[in-house]
Amino acid sequence: EYGGRSGLWMGGCASSNESGSCISVNSGADQALRDLVPRAVERPLGPADGKSDGALTRGIRSKTFYVAKGMSFEDLFKFKRMQEYFQDVEDWKHVLTDWLGAENLSVNTRDGRKLDALWLETPPAANHAAVALFHANCAIAIDMALWGAWYRQRGMSVLMITMGGYAGSQGETTELSTYFDADAAVHFLMHRGIPFNRMLVHGLSIGGALAANVAAQHPGISATLDQTFVNALEVATSTTALISKHVPQMAINSVVDTCFPKNQSDPRLPGVVTDAYNTESKVDRITGYYFVIWAENDHMMPSSFAERLFHAHYKPLIEKCAEADLSDPEWTQDRIRRCCVVLELAAAQGKDMAELHAELRAKAKAWCASDEAMGQAIEDLALKRSCRIPTGEHGSFFGDDDICSMNLSLIHI
């Protein structure tokens, strides 16, 4: 079963030092290297990205969407003030790539583009779980180095891609193109023999929207939404307040409608339709394990976003479990066992499936018996299947907090 409960995927590390010991992200001699990486991937944002949009559109875009679109590695190095940590662009790329022991390669999308990517394989890849990491708005693949190291240290293979239109990756950057990008990452892992039930997608900020969409498309894939918004309109409203509290909502709505036209699709990506990144509406379709992370001092994503994303998955899940039907092909043995894990029922391999099914339905029905029971159940689940990064700002690394690290390990490792 995915999650390594048999111990199959335990015991790896991100890389090794000269003595052959595992590199630790947070302690020992490598703390100095850890200190070279900014504590938050999302740096303070500055001017707009040079487009000829109106002032309001530029302002909202520069605070919210596709901030690094069209920027070269050199542009990003300056924009993110990476000279405070590295000598130059090549130093930035080589230090982190060498530290990870990563292979720099291209990932092909179904619409014919190439994405810059880093691949950290725990060989053989087909025998281990794997994670695809999707970066934040003002970031690229290499900025996910700490996230990649965290997973690799726990024995998983890791793929980090850069969205199309960002440094090193081909194409435009639109909602639909980013869904193509996430799809390409999943197919990269599939082609290395990794089944959906041993596959995880983890997205930071806007990357969480990519993770949710691709996990909803492929039953069995697990997802972690890390400091993610519920939809484009609400995060635009939230961040516009940082620019000015006097911008009318109608103007914000107009900008979002222009930037994110709905109901767009492409026959090369069946079943995917743009919805202005309405992540909240699709997380209930994720059938793998699900985890939500939020940062305490996040100036862009209020904690209510995380609460809603959590509730939007787990309340429908409990309700579905109460009506689970063994004759329905959607209720596979793997799904029933996963739901038993979520509802904390003993799911021993030797247990009869009909007995597990009956226990699952009974417990879920008890939780659905009243609003109070459902509320308490979701609150109890949130203690183990979500976490807060204390004092964290937007883009903070969850692994810097022991509780976040432990909770995520218990769910996915």
Side-chain angles (χ1 to χ4, degrees), residues 106-129:
S106 294
V107 170
N108 298 318
T109 65
R110 293 200 211 192
D111 58 350
R113 295 176 292 112
K114 292 185 180 296
L115 305 178
D116 190 47
L118 295 173
W119 171 237
L120 294 71
E121 181 177 356
T122 299
N127 289 354
H128 298 80

Short mmCIF file of all heavy atoms in Angstrom, two decimals, residues 106-129:
data_model
loop_
_atom_site.label_atom_id
_atom_site.label_comp_id
_atom_site.label_asym_id
_atom_site.label_seq_id
_atom_site.Cartn_x
_atom_site.Cartn_y
_atom_site.Cartn_z
N SER A 106 14.77 17.32 -19.39
CA SER A 106 13.54 17.93 -19.92
C SER A 106 12.38 16.96 -19.81
O SER A 106 12.56 15.75 -20.00
CB SER A 106 13.73 18.33 -21.38
OG SER A 106 14.69 19.36 -21.51
N VAL A 107 11.22 17.49 -19.51
CA VAL A 107 9.99 16.71 -19.47
C VAL A 107 9.09 17.22 -20.59
O VAL A 107 8.88 18.42 -20.73
CB VAL A 107 9.29 16.87 -18.10
CG1 VAL A 107 7.90 16.25 -18.12
CG2 VAL A 107 10.14 16.24 -17.00
N ASN A 108 8.57 16.30 -21.40
CA ASN A 108 7.76 16.66 -22.56
C ASN A 108 6.27 16.73 -22.19
O ASN A 108 5.75 15.85 -21.51
CB ASN A 108 7.94 15.64 -23.67
CG ASN A 108 9.37 15.58 -24.16
OD1 ASN A 108 10.02 16.60 -24.33
ND2 ASN A 108 9.87 14.38 -24.40
N THR A 109 5.60 17.79 -22.66
CA THR A 109 4.17 17.94 -22.44
C THR A 109 3.40 17.41 -23.65
O THR A 109 3.95 17.29 -24.75
CB THR A 109 3.79 19.41 -22.22
OG1 THR A 109 4.05 20.14 -23.42
CG2 THR A 109 4.58 20.01 -21.07
N ARG A 110 2.11 17.15 -23.46
CA ARG A 110 1.29 16.64 -24.57
C ARG A 110 1.08 17.67 -25.67
O ARG A 110 0.73 17.32 -26.80
CB ARG A 110 -0.09 16.21 -24.05
CG ARG A 110 -0.08 15.00 -23.14
CD ARG A 110 -1.46 14.39 -23.09
NE ARG A 110 -1.73 13.76 -21.82
CZ ARG A 110 -2.77 12.95 -21.61
NH1 ARG A 110 -3.63 12.71 -22.58
NH2 ARG A 110 -2.97 12.41 -20.43
N ASP A 111 1.28 18.95 -25.37
CA ASP A 111 1.13 19.98 -26.40
C ASP A 111 2.47 20.36 -27.03
O ASP A 111 2.60 21.42 -27.65
CB ASP A 111 0.40 21.21 -25.85
CG ASP A 111 1.10 21.84 -24.66
OD1 ASP A 111 2.05 21.23 -24.12
OD2 ASP A 111 0.69 22.95 -24.25
N GLY A 112 3.48 19.51 -26.85
CA GLY A 112 4.72 19.65 -27.61
C GLY A 112 5.77 20.56 -27.04
O GLY A 112 6.71 20.96 -27.75
N ARG A 113 5.71 20.88 -25.76
CA ARG A 113 6.72 21.75 -25.14
C ARG A 113 7.68 20.93 -24.28
O ARG A 113 7.41 19.79 -23.92
CB ARG A 113 6.04 22.81 -24.26
CG ARG A 113 5.18 23.78 -25.04
CD ARG A 113 4.44 24.75 -24.12
NE ARG A 113 3.42 24.09 -23.32
CZ ARG A 113 3.47 23.92 -22.00
NH1 ARG A 113 4.51 24.36 -21.30
NH2 ARG A 113 2.48 23.32 -21.36
N LYS A 114 8.80 21.54 -23.96
CA LYS A 114 9.78 20.93 -23.06
C LYS A 114 9.87 21.76 -21.79
O LYS A 114 10.00 22.99 -21.85
CB LYS A 114 11.16 20.82 -23.71
CG LYS A 114 11.21 19.84 -24.88
CD LYS A 114 12.62 19.68 -25.40
CE LYS A 114 12.66 18.70 -26.57
NZ LYS A 114 12.26 17.35 -26.16
N LEU A 115 9.82 21.07 -20.65
CA LEU A 115 9.89 21.74 -19.35
C LEU A 115 11.23 21.43 -18.70
O LEU A 115 11.67 20.27 -18.69
CB LEU A 115 8.76 21.27 -18.44
CG LEU A 115 7.33 21.40 -18.96
CD1 LEU A 115 6.35 20.84 -17.93
CD2 LEU A 115 6.99 22.85 -19.29
N ASP A 116 11.85 22.44 -18.14
CA ASP A 116 13.07 22.23 -17.36
C ASP A 116 12.71 21.47 -16.09
O ASP A 116 11.70 21.76 -15.45
CB ASP A 116 13.69 23.59 -17.01
CG ASP A 116 15.07 23.44 -16.41
OD1 ASP A 116 15.90 22.68 -16.97
OD2 ASP A 116 15.34 24.09 -15.38
N ALA A 117 13.54 20.49 -15.73
CA ALA A 117 13.19 19.66 -14.57
C ALA A 117 14.44 19.12 -13.89
O ALA A 117 15.51 19.03 -14.49
CB ALA A 117 12.29 18.51 -15.00
N LEU A 118 14.28 18.77 -12.63
CA LEU A 118 15.30 18.08 -11.85
C LEU A 118 14.73 16.74 -11.40
O LEU A 118 13.59 16.68 -10.92
CB LEU A 118 15.71 18.92 -10.63
CG LEU A 118 16.41 20.24 -10.93
CD1 LEU A 118 16.61 21.04 -9.64
CD2 LEU A 118 17.76 20.01 -11.60
N TRP A 119 15.52 15.68 -11.54
CA TRP A 119 15.06 14.32 -11.23
C TRP A 119 16.01 13.70 -10.22
O TRP A 119 17.22 13.63 -10.44
CB TRP A 119 15.02 13.49 -12.51
CG TRP A 119 14.77 12.02 -12.36
CD1 TRP A 119 15.57 11.02 -12.82
CD2 TRP A 119 13.63 11.36 -11.76
NE1 TRP A 119 15.01 9.78 -12.55
CE2 TRP A 119 13.83 9.96 -11.89
CE3 TRP A 119 12.49 11.83 -11.10
CZ2 TRP A 119 12.91 9.03 -11.41
CZ3 TRP A 119 11.58 10.89 -10.62
CH2 TRP A 119 11.78 9.52 -10.77
N LEU A 120 15.46 13.31 -9.08
CA LEU A 120 16.21 12.64 -8.02
C LEU A 120 15.65 11.23 -7.89
O LEU A 120 14.61 11.04 -7.28
CB LEU A 120 16.06 13.37 -6.69
CG LEU A 120 16.64 14.77 -6.50
CD1 LEU A 120 15.85 15.81 -7.28
CD2 LEU A 120 16.61 15.14 -5.03
N GLU A 121 16.31 10.28 -8.47
CA GLU A 121 15.79 8.92 -8.46
C GLU A 121 16.30 8.12 -7.27
O GLU A 121 17.49 8.16 -6.94
CB GLU A 121 16.16 8.18 -9.75
CG GLU A 121 15.61 6.76 -9.80
CD GLU A 121 15.91 6.05 -11.11
OE1 GLU A 121 16.48 6.69 -12.02
OE2 GLU A 121 15.58 4.86 -11.22
N THR A 122 15.39 7.42 -6.62
CA THR A 122 15.76 6.40 -5.65
C THR A 122 15.65 5.08 -6.41
O THR A 122 14.54 4.59 -6.64
CB THR A 122 14.81 6.41 -4.44
OG1 THR A 122 14.89 7.69 -3.79
CG2 THR A 122 15.18 5.31 -3.45
N PRO A 123 16.78 4.54 -6.85
CA PRO A 123 16.72 3.39 -7.78
C PRO A 123 16.41 2.08 -7.05
O PRO A 123 16.81 1.90 -5.91
CB PRO A 123 18.13 3.38 -8.38
CG PRO A 123 19.01 4.01 -7.34
CD PRO A 123 18.15 5.03 -6.62
N PRO A 124 15.74 1.18 -7.80
CA PRO A 124 15.04 1.46 -9.06
C PRO A 124 13.73 2.19 -8.78
O PRO A 124 13.00 1.84 -7.85
CB PRO A 124 14.80 0.07 -9.65
CG PRO A 124 14.70 -0.83 -8.46
CD PRO A 124 15.64 -0.26 -7.41
N ALA A 125 13.42 3.16 -9.61
CA ALA A 125 12.26 4.02 -9.35
C ALA A 125 10.96 3.23 -9.25
O ALA A 125 10.07 3.57 -8.46
CB ALA A 125 12.14 5.08 -10.46
N ALA A 126 10.84 2.17 -10.04
CA ALA A 126 9.60 1.40 -10.06
C ALA A 126 9.32 0.68 -8.74
O ALA A 126 8.19 0.26 -8.49
CB ALA A 126 9.64 0.37 -11.20
N ASN A 127 10.33 0.57 -7.88
CA ASN A 127 10.16 -0.11 -6.60
C ASN A 127 9.90 0.84 -5.44
O ASN A 127 9.83 0.40 -4.28
CB ASN A 127 11.39 -0.95 -6.28
CG ASN A 127 11.51 -2.17 -7.18
OD1 ASN A 127 10.62 -2.45 -7.97
ND2 ASN A 127 12.62 -2.87 -7.07
N HIS A 128 9.79 2.11 -5.73
CA HIS A 128 9.64 3.10 -4.66
C HIS A 128 8.48 4.05 -4.97
O HIS A 128 8.05 4.17 -6.11
CB HIS A 128 10.92 3.91 -4.49
CG HIS A 128 12.10 3.10 -4.09
ND1 HIS A 128 12.83 2.35 -4.99
CD2 HIS A 128 12.66 2.88 -2.88
CE1 HIS A 128 13.80 1.71 -4.35
NE2 HIS A 128 13.72 2.02 -3.07
N ALA A 129 8.03 4.74 -3.95
CA ALA A 129 7.06 5.82 -4.15
C ALA A 129 7.78 7.02 -4.76
O ALA A 129 9.01 7.12 -4.71
CB ALA A 129 6.41 6.20 -2.83
#
